[in-house]
C-alpha cells in the first residue's frame, strides 16, 4: 500500500493544529467575555443595593414609585427595536468573520436609521399617552402630577437615545469587544444608581434625577459611537440600503416576537395569582421568584457572549459544536453546586432575608424555582444558537404556541394548589421548553451535541447524586447538628467542583478557563 505523499501529511497536521488553536482561542475569548459580562452586571447591582435606602428616603414612597416605574420603562425600551439590535449584531459578526459578503456600513447605518425612526415614534407615542398615564392608568395624586408629567417627558426623550446607543453597542458585541462594552457600561450603570443620591443630597428632586439619567444615557451612546469609530473604521461611511431593511426586519421580527412573548410568559403567573389569590399570596410567590432570579445573572452573561460567537462560526464546524458544549458545561459547572446550596439552605436564607412568614409560605416555590432555574438556563444556549444560525422563528414559535396552554394550566393549578401549583406548572413548562430547544438545535445541525456526547455519564450523574444526598441530609439533621451539616456540605460541594473539573470538563476547556486572565483582547 502506498503511503501518503510527504507534504500531504505535514499539511494536514498543520491544518489540524491551526484549527485546534483557533478553537482554543475562541473558547478562551468566550469565557473572558462571560467574566466581563458577569462583572458588568454584579458591580452595578451592588451599588444599586447600597444606594437604594438613600433614594427611597430622599424621594419618599410616591416619588420613588414613579422613579422605579420610569427605570422599568427605560430598561424595556429596547423591546421597541423589533429585534433589529439582535439582527445587526448577527449580521456584523458574520461580516467581521468573513462568512457572508455584505457591506458592513450598509448593514450598520440602515439599522441605525431604523433605530432612530423607531425611537422617534416611541417618543411621540409616550408624549401623547403621558396625560392618560398620569391621570388614569397610574392614578398619580394631583400634587405630584406636574412633576410626573415632566418626568415622563424626559423619559420620552430618552427612548431614541437608548435605542441608538444599543445599536452602537451591538456593533461592538459583534466583534466581541465586551471589554469596551463593559468599560462603558459599568461606570455608566454605577452612575445611574449613584447620581440620584448625589442630587438628593444637593436638594434636587425627581425631574433633575430624570434629566441626569437622560444625559447619562446620551453619554453612553456617544462613548459607544466613538469606540465603534475607532475599532471598526469601515463603519464610518454612511450608507442606507433599502434592500437591507427587509433582511433586518425579517430576522428582527421573530426576535421581537420571542422577546415580547418571553416577557409575557414571565409575568402571566403573577397576574393570575394576584387576581385569584390576592396580594398576600402574590407577595409570597414573587419573593421566592425574585430571590432565585438573581441566579440568572450568569446565564445572561453567557448568552450575550455566545450569540456573536455562534454567529461568527460557520455551521457544521467542530469549533461551533465545541462552543455550544462549552456554553452548556460552564452553566452546569457554575450553577449545579450553587443549586445544591440553595436547596439545602433555602429555609434559613428566606428566614434571614425576608422573615419567618416568607420562610414558611415561600419555601416550596423557592425550591421548585431553584431546580427550574438551572434547567431553564441550559435552554438559553440552544435559544442563542438557533437565532445565530438564522432560525429565530423556531424558538419564537415555541414560545408563541406554549403561551395559551401555559396560561390555562396555570389558571387550573392556582385554583387547585395555590402558589405551589403555579410554580410546578412553571417547572413543567421549563423542562418541556428546554427539551424542545435542544431538539430544534439538533434538527438545524445534527452534530451540535457532539461535544456533550463526549461527556462521561458519571461526570454529571455522580455530582448530582452527591448534592442530592447532601440536601436530604440537611433536611433530616436534628437541631444542634447544623455545624456538622455545614461541614458536610462544604466538603461535598468542594468534592463536586473538583470532580466536575477533572471529569466533566475536557482538557481544552480547562485550559481555556485557566487562561482567562492571560488572553489578550483583540
Amino acid at each position: 500500500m502506498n503511503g501518503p505523499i510527504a507534504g500531504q501529511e505535514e499539511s494536514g497536521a498543520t491544518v489540524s493544529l491551526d484549527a485546534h488553536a483557533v478553537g482554543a482561542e475562541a473558547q478562551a475569548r468566550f469565557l473572558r467575555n462571560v467574566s466581563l459580562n458577569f462583572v458588568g452586571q454584579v458591580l452595578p447591582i451592588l451599588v444599586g443595593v447600597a444606594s437604594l435606602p438613600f433614594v427611597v428616603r430622599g424621594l419618599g414612597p410616591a416619588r420613588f414609585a414613579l422613579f422605579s416605574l420610569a427605570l422599568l420603562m427605560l430598561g424595556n425600551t429596547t423591546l421597541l427595536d423589533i429585534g433589529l439590535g439582535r439582527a445587526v449584531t448577527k449580521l456584523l459578526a458574520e461580516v467581521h468573520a468573513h462568512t457572508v459578503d455584505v457591506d458592513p456600513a450598509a448593514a450598520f447605518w440602515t439599522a441605525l436609521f431604523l433605530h432612530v425612526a423607531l425611537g422617534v415614534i416611541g417618543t411621540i407615542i409616550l408624549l401623547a399617552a403621558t396625560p392618560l398615564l398620569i391621570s388614569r392608568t397610574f392614578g398619580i395624586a394631583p400634587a405630584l402630577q406636574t412633576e410626573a408629567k415632566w418626568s415622563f417627558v424626559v423619559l420620552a426623550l430618552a427612548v431614541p437615545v437608548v435605542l441608538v446607543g444599543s445599536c452602537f453597542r451591538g456593533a461592538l458585541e459583534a466583534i466581541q469587544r465586551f471589554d469596551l462594552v463593559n468599560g462603558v457600561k459599568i461606570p455608566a450603570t454605577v452612575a445611574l444608581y449613584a447620581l440620584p443620591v448625589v442630587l438628593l443630597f444637593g436638594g434636587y428632586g425627581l425631574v433633575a434625577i430624570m434629566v441626569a439619567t437622560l444625559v447619562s444615557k446620551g453619554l453612553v451612546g456617544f462613548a459607544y459611537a466613538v469606540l465603534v469609530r475607532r475599532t471598526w473604521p469601515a463603519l464610518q461611511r454612511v450608507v442606507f440600503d433599502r434592500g437591507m431593511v427587509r433582511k433586518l426586519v425579517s430576522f428582527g421580527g421573530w426576535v421581537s416576537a420571542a422577546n415580547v412573548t418571553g416577557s409575557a410568559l414571565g409575568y402571566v403567573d403573577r397576574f393570575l395569582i394576584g387576581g385569584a389569590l390576592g396580594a398576600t399570596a402574590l407577595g409570597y410567590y414573587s419573593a421566592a421568584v425574585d430571590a432565585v432570579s438573581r441566579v440568572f445573572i450568569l446565564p445572561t452573561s453567557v448568552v450575550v457572549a455566545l450569540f456573536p460567537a455562534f454567529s461568527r462560526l460557520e455551521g457544521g464546524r467542530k469549533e461551533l459544536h465545541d462552543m455550544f458544549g462549552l456554553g452548556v458545561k460552564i452553566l452546569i459547572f457554575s450553577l449545579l453546586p450553587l443549586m445544591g446550596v440553595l436547596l439545602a439552605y433555602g429555609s434559613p436564607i428566606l428566614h434571614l432575608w425576608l422573615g419567618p412568614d416568607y420562610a414558611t409560605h415561600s419555601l416550596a416555590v423557592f425550591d421548585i424555582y431553584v431546580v427550574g432555574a438551572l434547567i431553564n438556563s441550559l435552554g438559553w444556549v440552544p435559544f442563542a444558537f438557533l437565532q445565530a444560525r438564522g432560525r429565530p422563528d423556531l424558538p419564537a414559535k415555541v414560545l408563541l404556541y406554549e403561551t395559551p396552554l401555559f396560561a390555562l394550566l396555570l389558571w387550573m393549578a392556582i385554583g387547585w394548589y395555590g402558589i405551589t401549583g403555579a410554580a410546578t406548572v412553571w417547572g413543567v413548562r421549563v423542562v418541556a421548553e428546554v427539551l424542545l430547544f435542544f431538539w430544534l438545535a439538533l434538527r438545524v445541525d445534527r452534530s451540535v451535541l457532539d461535544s456533550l456526547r463526549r461527556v462521561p455519564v458519571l461526570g454529571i450523574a455522580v455530582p448530582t447524586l452527591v448534592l442530592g444526598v447532601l440536601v436530604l441530609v440537611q433536611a433530616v439533621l436534628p437541631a444542634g447538628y447544623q455545624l456538622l451539616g455545614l461541614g458536610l456540605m462544604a466538603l461535598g460541594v468542594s468534592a463536586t467542583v473538583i470532580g466536575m473539573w477533572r471529569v466533566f470538563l475536557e482538557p481544552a476547556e480547562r485550559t481555556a478557563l485557566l487562561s482567562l486572565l492571560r488572553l489578550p483582547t483583540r
Side-chain angles (χ1 to χ4, degrees), residues 190-210:
V190 167
L192 183 66
Y193 291 124
L195 275 176
V197 178
V198 175
L199 291 172
L200 287 169
F201 273 107
Y204 295 95
L206 178 60
V207 176
I209 292 174
M210 291 303 302

Side-chain angles (χ1 to χ4, degrees), residues 24 56 59 73 107 136 188 222 233 244 273 279 345 373 377-378 383 386 433 448:
V56 171
L59 288 176
M73 295 174 68
R136 296 187 181 182
F222 178 76
M244 190 67 65
I273 290 171
Y345 296 102
S377 68
L378 301 182
F383 185 93
L386 290 168
E433 181 181 286
V448 73

Side-chain angles (χ1 to χ4, degrees), residues 265 324 375-376 378-383 385-386 391 393-403 405 428-445 448-449:
L265 286 169
F324 186 100
I375 298 172
N376 192 35
L378 301 182
W380 291 28
V381 177
F383 185 93
F385 173 82
L386 290 168
R391 294 304 305 269
D393 58 309
L394 295 179
K397 288 174 182 176
V398 170
L399 297 176
L400 287 168
Y401 292 153
E402 72 178 324
T403 299
L405 178 61
V428 172
R429 176 184 73 82
V430 162
V431 172
E433 181 181 286
V434 169
L435 290 175
L436 273 173
F437 286 161
F438 274 94
W439 178 73
L440 290 170
L442 195 59
R443 290 289 300 272
V444 171
D445 187 338
V448 73
L449 300 183

Side-chain angles (χ1 to χ4, degrees), residues 162-178:
V162 172
L163 289 182
V164 168
S166 70
C167 189
F168 282 106
R169 185 184 69 241
L172 292 172
E173 291 178 352
I175 57 175
Q176 302 189 83
R177 293 305 305 266
F178 288 94

Side-chain angles (χ1 to χ4, degrees), residues 335-345 370 467-468 470-471 489 493:
L335 294 181
L336 184 61
L338 177 60
M339 296 299 100
V341 172
L342 292 177
L343 285 173
Y345 296 102
V370 163
L467 290 174
L470 288 172
V471 170
M489 191 56 141
V493 169

Side-chain angles (χ1 to χ4, degrees), residues 24 44 86 103 106 125 133 143 153 192 195 206 228 281 285 317 377 425 442 485 496 500:
R86 197 77 154 177
D103 182 1
I125 292 174
L133 292 174
V153 168
L192 183 66
L195 275 176
L206 178 60
V228 168
Y285 183 85
R317 287 180 56 182
S377 68
V425 170
L442 195 59
T496 297
M500 291 177 69

Side-chain angles (χ1 to χ4, degrees), residues 32-49 169 173 178 181-190 193 224 293-305 331 380:
R32 180 178 175 84
N33 290 337
V34 169
S35 64
L36 289 170
N37 292 337
F38 184 75
V39 173
Q41 292 188 79
V42 171
L43 286 182
I45 287 177
L46 295 177
V47 176
V49 169
R169 185 184 69 241
E173 291 178 352
F178 288 94
V181 170
N182 286 285
V184 174
K185 177 185 174 183
I186 291 175
T189 311
V190 167
Y193 291 124
Y224 285 147
S293 67
R294 301 297 185 267
V295 175
F296 284 99
I297 292 177
L298 179 61
T300 301
S301 304
V302 170
V303 77
V304 169
L331 288 172
W380 291 28

Side-chain angles (χ1 to χ4, degrees), residues 31 38 45 57 134 137 160 172 196 234 293 388 397 446 464-465 473 511:
L31 291 172
F38 184 75
I45 287 177
R57 288 195 296 267
I134 290 174
T137 304
L172 292 172
S293 67
K397 288 174 182 176
R446 293 184 179 276
T464 303
L465 181 61
V473 168
T511 300

